[in-house]
Amino acid sequence: MTAQNSGGSGPGTDTVAAVVRQWQAVHPGLDTAPMEIIGRVNRCAALLQQAEDAPLRRAGLSRPEFDLLGALRRTGHELTPGELARETFSSGAAVTKRVKQLTERGLVERRADSRDRRVAHLRLTDAGRDLVDGILPEQLAYETAVLSVLDGGRQAELASLLGELLTRLEGRLGALRT
């Protein structure tokens, strides 16, 4: 990293670079390189989520509710609450709460399993599908605008690197959880 870079908009001028410089001043021998990646990924995620949640707020949805609706829409079939929890990286209790709220709003329907009444099958209503389909283009337009600061080649490179990291983390962290 170029922590000495004091002007412009390079990697030495972002908020994480300032944090790294502070840590280096307090602990000069500390290897802060991981912070430069993890900190930036976390900071980017937080900033992106704040801005991209605006269309969701206008629709009266939270990010986790939209994630649940999106999972039902993109899979194209009914899902159980357990399957939704896995799809959205949420707890079962959180999915239950969200499904209840979305059902009350008429966006999701529950159907009891014909063989086991304890199992629920969830699907989008027409209103839920219309809502997701209406918000998604706005979401993607926002993301396209955000990423336009990187040319197509850099976007592909970043997507590839993040994909590699995610694949390895999912495998490694998944093994640690079992």
Side-chain angles (χ1 to χ4, degrees), residues 60-115:
L61 290 173
S62 67
R63 159 71 43 193
E65 288 170 334
F66 182 71
D67 288 346
L68 189 145
L69 294 172
L72 288 169
R73 180 67 173 122
R74 73 176 184 268
T75 60
H77 57 82
E78 293 179 341
L79 296 173
T80 66
E83 291 167 334
L84 265 177
R86 285 187 292 282
E87 282 287 328
T88 60
F89 308 104
S90 302
S91 71
V95 167
T96 298
K97 178 182 173 189
R98 291 177 197 130
V99 165
K100 181 179 186 295
Q101 293 167 337
L102 295 170
T103 300
E104 289 171 357
R105 291 183 56 190
L107 301 172
V108 173
E109 290 178 338
R110 296 175 64 95
R111 179 182 63 79
D113 189 277
S114 58
R115 291 174 299 229

Side-chain angles (χ1 to χ4, degrees), residues 54-56 58 133-143:
L56 303 181
R58 284 193 296 277
D133 289 350
I135 292 174
L136 190 58
E138 188 176 351
Q139 182 85 9
L140 292 173
Y142 166 76
E143 292 173 4

Side-chain angles (χ1 to χ4, degrees), residues 8 18 22 26 36 38 50 57 106 118 129 138 154 175:
Q22 290 170 337
V26 174
E36 295 180 40
I38 305 287
Q50 286 172 5
R57 283 192 301 276
R118 296 171 296 176
R129 186 173 23 268
E138 188 176 351
R154 300 284 290 187

